Amino acid sequence: MLPVATGTAWMDDGADTVVRANDGTSLLRLMTWLSPAFPVGAYAFSHGVEAAIAEGRVRDGEDVFRWVSTLLTEGSGRNDLILLAEAFHAERDGDPARLRDAADLCRALAGSKERREETMALGRAFAGAASPWFEGGADGPIEDGTLEGAGSDAAPYPVAVAIVAARQGIALAPTLVAYAHGFAANLVSVATRLVPLGQREAVRVLHRLEPVILRAARHAKTSSLDDLGSAAFLSDIAAMRHETLEPRLFRS
């Protein structure tokens, strides 16, 4: 069960209402956890975007916008958000079997070796970096046996974020928005360095992505595992080709 947090929500979760941290605390924690500065090593992964740029598929701000939008609405980003929501409900409801199934499915849906390494490395790092929020009280966010004692290795990144958010009493809706924004911002940052995009153009892309991020988060909140699926084939192929790309700057 969730540890009880005091205060009110900063975003209404409807039927998913739980007792959660106050307005400022919830927002502050999400900003910290999903910030590019949070030490999970996200800057080292391009999610296949480096290969897409090398092949000339992503050449300017418009291409970056379309690429990231497709991932959020039709590809791996969409699936990550749905799996985050599933893991959040499982953790909130105290259902470890359902939580393990979500983690297993998340690993299975990684379409390439590097994509799997990416989600596992980020999940492991996130679990460790989030440990200060559990000091002096509950055990760490993942290492306390929730996933049958398998430790943080059992939790891919979306699942790790879901567990930490649920245990800290943060609502699902803003967690999904923050995760989607972090996912998009990291890929735009990759393009900023490699296309390259100017800072002003990168900000334009992030501005255009705002409604896409919100729609993707709302969709995930009302989805089930039956809604999982991907049609972002070029992204999946780029992720596979990145495994043999030379030279390269990123791990995926």
Side-chain angles (χ1 to χ4, degrees):
M1 297 299 291
L2 290 176
V4 175
T6 60
T8 57
W10 68 273
M11 183 179 288
D12 183 14
D13 240 4
D16 293 323
T17 298
V18 295
V19 179
R20 49 194 178 268
N22 63 43
D23 298 8
T25 301
S26 293
L27 177 59
L28 182 60
R29 288 177 181 176
L30 288 173
M31 290 172 64
T32 300
W33 297 338
L34 281 307
S35 163
F38 201 62
V40 297
Y43 65 88
F45 297 93
S46 84
H47 208 70
V49 171
E50 183 174 23
I53 293 170
E55 294 175 356
R57 296 187 183 278
V58 176
R59 296 167 293 182
D60 54 29
E62 181 63 27
D63 290 342
V64 175
F65 170 75
R66 292 178 178 176
W67 191 272
V68 178
S69 295
T70 299
L71 290 177
L72 286 170
T73 58
E74 306 292 342
S76 54
R78 176 180 183 270
N79 283 342
D80 274 3
L81 291 170
I82 293 173
L83 288 162
L84 191 160
E86 172 71 9
F88 184 96
H89 291 311
E91 173 63 27
R92 182 200 62 184
D93 296 341
D95 189 340
R98 183 180 177 187
L99 190 59
R100 288 193 299 274
D101 288 345
D104 289 343
L105 191 53
C106 192
R107 286 193 296 269
L109 288 174
S112 66
K113 176 177 178 288
E114 287 185 354
R115 284 251 177 110
R116 186 182 190 281
E117 291 175 349
E118 176 182 330
T119 194
M120 298 309 296
L122 293 178
R124 183 165 53 250
F126 185 85
S131 61
W133 281 267
F134 296 86
E135 289 176 354
D139 291 333
I142 295 173
E143 293 87 350
D144 66 352
T146 296
L147 299 179
E148 285 193 334
S152 57
D153 283 337
Y157 190 37
V159 176
V161 172
I163 293 171
V164 170
R167 293 191 185 179
Q168 289 292 302
I170 297 176
L172 175 59
T175 301
L176 289 167
V177 172
Y179 184 93
H181 179 268
F183 176 89
N186 187 64
L187 298 189
V188 172
S189 176
V190 171
T192 302
R193 285 174 276 175
L194 293 183
V195 168
L197 296 181
Q199 292 291 337
R200 194 174 293 268
E201 181 63 18
V203 171
R204 287 194 186 98
V205 172
L206 287 172
H207 173 257
R208 292 181 64 194
L209 283 169
E210 286 180 358
V212 179
I213 289 169
L214 292 173
R215 286 197 304 270
R218 284 196 298 267
H219 175 268
K221 184 175 178 295
T222 59
S223 295
S224 70
L225 295 182
D226 291 338
D227 297 301
L228 287 168
S230 174
F233 302 119
L234 290 179
S235 174
D236 294 336
I237 292 170
M240 296 175 192
R241 288 180 174 171
H242 188 270
E243 295 177 6
T244 57
L245 181 68
E246 294 293 344
R248 62 181 182 173
L249 299 177
F250 295 87
R251 292 177 59 186
S252 71

